[in-house]
């Protein structure tokens, strides 16, 4: 914003304070100026820069919140910006999403990927039958036994 001060005399000193602007910092809190005769030389300028923020990405086990991979911290980000992160591949686990987005606030910026263990189907030893087929196998054997008993009667 432009501020014009009227009725100031050349040779006098003027002090101005920086405006408070959310998420921005001024180069100085206040500045002073010795007024010149030429009004075009009587300018005080404050330079504002965005206050940086950061965010953290965590990779946790869904069942117990155990850390599965080293968390990632990203610094020097702009408040209000929207960022996206991708899940990392962790052997034996599946992430709850392939990517997640977050609009950055001044603080408390955290993205959490939750991972679920993948159950491997290993064959039953010496049979070659997948473990998830065990129930079907048991039902088949019970059914076969029932049929044999009926035929024997």
């Amino acid at each position: 914003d432009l501020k014009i001060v009227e009725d100031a005399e050349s040779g006098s000193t003027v002090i101005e304070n920086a405006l408070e602007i959310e998420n921005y910092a001024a180069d100085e809190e206040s500045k002073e100026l010795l007024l010149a005769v030429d009004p075009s030389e009587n300018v005080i300028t404050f330079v504002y820069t965005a206050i940086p923020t950061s965010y953290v990405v965590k990779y946790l086990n869904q069942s117990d919140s155990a850390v599965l991979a080293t968390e990632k911290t990203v610094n020097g980000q702009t408040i209000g910006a929207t960022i996206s992160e991708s899940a990392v591949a962790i052997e034996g686990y599946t992430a709850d999403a392939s990517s997640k987005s977050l609009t950055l606030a001044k603080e408390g910026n955290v993205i959490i990927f939750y991972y679920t263990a993948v159950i491997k189907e290993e064959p039953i030893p010496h049979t070659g039958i997948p473990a998830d087929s065990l129930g079907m196998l048991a039902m088949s054997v019970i059914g076969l036994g029932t049929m044999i008993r009926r035929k024997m009667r």
Side-chain angles (χ1 to χ4, degrees):
D1 291 334
L2 179 64
K3 178 180 178 181
I4 299 174
V5 179
E6 302 285 338
D7 302 328
E9 294 185 25
S10 62
S12 63
T13 301
V14 174
I15 299 174
E16 285 295 325
N17 294 318
L19 297 175
E20 295 277 335
I21 301 175
E22 187 176 5
N23 303 326
Y24 287 86
D27 57 345
E28 295 182 46
E29 286 185 31
S30 65
K31 294 183 180 184
E32 71 176 54
L33 173 71
L34 179 61
L35 296 175
V37 175
D38 180 359
S40 67
E41 296 178 23
N42 297 329
V43 176
I44 296 177
T45 302
F46 289 94
V47 177
Y48 291 83
T49 54
I51 296 171
T53 191
S54 62
Y55 66 93
V56 175
V57 184
K58 296 182 179 190
Y59 312 95
L60 306 179
N61 188 328
Q62 178 71 44
S63 65
D64 61 4
S65 295
V67 175
L68 296 176
T70 304
E71 69 179 38
K72 172 182 172 180
T73 300
V74 181
N75 296 307
Q77 301 297 301
T78 303
I79 296 169
T82 300
I83 53 91
S84 291
E85 285 289 334
S86 296
V88 296
I90 300 175
E91 187 175 341
Y93 290 88
T94 301
D96 61 345
S98 59
S99 67
K100 294 185 179 186
S101 297
L102 175 69
T103 300
L104 299 174
K106 192 171 188 177
E107 55 190 27
N109 300 304
V110 180
I111 292 176
I112 301 175
F113 287 97
Y114 287 102
Y115 290 78
T116 305
V118 175
I119 299 171
K120 289 185 178 180
E121 291 184 22
E122 294 188 20
I124 300 169
H126 311 294
T127 65
I129 300 169
D132 68 342
S133 299
L134 185 57
M136 293 300 292
L137 177 63
M139 288 175 61
S140 297
V141 169
I142 291 169
L144 180 61
T146 303
M147 286 184 354
I148 292 172
R149 267 186 265 135
R150 283 185 187 157
K151 286 188 178 187
M152 293 178 74
R153 288 185 186 171

